[in-house]
């Protein structure tokens, strides 16, 4: 959408909702997915696989924090390859740790990118860059300290709330919940379209196309990270200066 008739915010909201949100839920509904049994006695042992996952998440997140056009999908793929884990099998704990590491380190390195090169690389970094005129070393240390504190508190809350939620999550009607989420996300797209006075028919076309493209990886057996080409290719075109 290099020359889109709608704003970049609506464009990204529409595309990502269709590519990764609604399409995944629709495929899940078509497969009659259910919530798996929850194991309240599961324990996490910090071994070499977990440490490898932490290292993989940190490396992948640092790459995302600095390189343009790189998103969570690429970071997840890099972390998965380094950690040697996956969302199934014996190393799934390592995979989950790596994914968490990607998100945390990406946020931290995005802040570092503002300080080093003056260019934000994530949504939260853009917001920080806008509210602070000059992002100096003191700001960097403060935000890193706050981020680490927030992550530590979130870990405790996640462990405590996870046990509580795990007892009730299997009682939910997964199909109904999925449809409610689909309706909610679609409504958000429509609301922002109206608020931005965007071309409704164009947005609906982009939304439907995004959903269709988002379904393809599920049926073709390929990784959905390939869909991030919607950002990577335009970023390459812009930075290389093609057509300018």
């Amino acid at each position: 959408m290099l020359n889109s008739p709608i704003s970049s915010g609506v464009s990204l909201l529409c595309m990502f909702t269709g590519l990764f949100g609604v399409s995944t839920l629709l495929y899940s509904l078509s497969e009659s997915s259910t919530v798996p049994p929850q194991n309240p006695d599961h324990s996490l042992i910090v071994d070499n696989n977990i440490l490898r996952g932490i290292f993989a998440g940190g490396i992948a997140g640092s790459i995302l924090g600095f390189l343009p056009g790189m998103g969570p999908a690429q970071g997840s793929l890099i972390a998965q390859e380094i950690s040697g884990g996956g969302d199934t099998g014996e190393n799934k704990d390592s995979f989950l740790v790596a994914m968490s590491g990607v998100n945390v380190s990406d946020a931290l390195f995005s802040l570092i990118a503002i300080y080093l090169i003056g260019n934000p690389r994530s949504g939260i970094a853009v917001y920080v860059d806008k509210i602070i005129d000059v992002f100096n070393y003191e700001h960097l240390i403060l935000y890193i300290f706050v981020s680490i504190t927030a992550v530590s508190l979130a870990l405790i809350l996640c462990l405590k709330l996870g046990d509580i939620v795990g007892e009730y999550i299997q009682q939910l009607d997964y199909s109904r919940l999925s449809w409610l989420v689909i309706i909610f996300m679609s409504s958000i797209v429509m609301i922002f379209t109206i608020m931005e006075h965007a071309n409704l028919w164009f947005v609906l076309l982009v939304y439907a196309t995004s959903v269709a493209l988002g379904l393809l990886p599920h049926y073709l057996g390929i990784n959905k990270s390939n869909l991030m080409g919607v950002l990577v290719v335009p970023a390459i075109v812009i930075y290389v200066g093609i057509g300018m």
Side-chain angles (χ1 to χ4, degrees), residues 59-75:
I59 294 297
S62 64
I63 294 174
L64 299 188
F66 286 103
L67 295 183
M70 297 288 287
Q74 285 81 13

Side-chain angles (χ1 to χ4, degrees), residues 7-28:
S7 66
S8 59
V10 175
S11 299
L12 293 175
L13 175 64
C14 183
M15 287 190 300
F16 285 121
T17 301
L19 290 174
F20 300 102
V22 173
S23 59
T24 302
L25 289 173
L26 288 175
Y27 177 77
S28 179

Side-chain angles (χ1 to χ4, degrees), residues 3-224:
N3 295 307
S4 173
I6 56 180
S7 66
S8 59
V10 175
S11 299
L12 293 175
L13 175 64
C14 183
M15 287 190 300
F16 285 121
T17 301
L19 290 174
F20 300 102
V22 173
S23 59
T24 302
L25 289 173
L26 288 175
Y27 177 77
S28 179
L29 288 170
S30 68
E31 295 293 309
S32 301
S33 301
T34 58
V35 178
Q38 305 299 303
N39 182 8
D41 300 322
H42 179 73
S43 60
L44 178 64
I45 300 176
V46 180
D47 53 13
N48 290 333
N49 288 330
I50 297 299
L51 294 176
R52 185 178 177 182
I54 295 173
F55 174 77
I59 294 297
S62 64
I63 294 174
L64 299 188
F66 286 103
L67 295 183
M70 297 288 287
Q74 285 81 13
S76 300
L77 186 61
I78 294 172
Q80 182 176 345
E81 292 298 325
I82 298 177
S83 66
D87 54 0
T88 58
E90 297 180 355
N91 291 333
K92 59 183 178 182
D93 288 341
S94 175
F95 173 75
L96 293 175
V97 170
M99 294 303 99
S100 301
V102 169
N103 294 324
V104 174
S105 57
D106 180 28
L108 293 178
F109 279 100
S110 295
L111 295 173
I112 296 175
I114 299 178
Y115 175 71
L116 293 179
I117 62 179
N119 193 356
R121 296 297 188 188
S122 67
I124 186 63
V126 171
Y127 183 74
V128 170
D129 188 50
K130 286 185 177 181
I131 63 176
I132 299 178
D133 294 331
V134 180
F135 193 84
N136 54 34
Y137 182 74
E138 287 75 17
H139 290 128
L140 176 62
I141 296 300
L142 174 63
Y143 275 93
I144 289 179
F145 174 76
V146 171
S147 299
I148 294 176
T149 303
V151 169
S152 302
L153 294 175
L155 172 62
I156 298 173
L157 289 174
C158 181
L159 293 175
K160 296 298 182 181
L161 294 177
D163 292 336
I164 299 174
V165 173
E167 297 178 2
Y168 299 99
I169 192 171
Q170 288 184 286
Q171 301 176 12
L172 295 175
D173 187 333
Y174 182 78
S175 297
R176 180 177 297 179
L177 179 62
S178 297
W179 279 115
L180 288 175
V181 174
I182 291 173
I183 294 172
F184 174 74
M185 289 192 294
S186 300
S187 300
I188 291 295
V189 172
M190 293 299 103
I191 290 172
F192 276 91
T193 299
I194 296 173
M195 290 176 59
E196 294 286 336
H197 303 288
N199 188 321
L200 180 60
W201 293 109
F202 184 82
V203 170
L204 290 175
L205 176 62
V206 173
Y207 190 47
T209 304
S210 300
V211 172
L213 290 174
L215 287 170
L216 284 178
H218 295 289
Y219 292 103
L220 297 179
I222 59 178
N223 200 303
K224 293 197 78 167

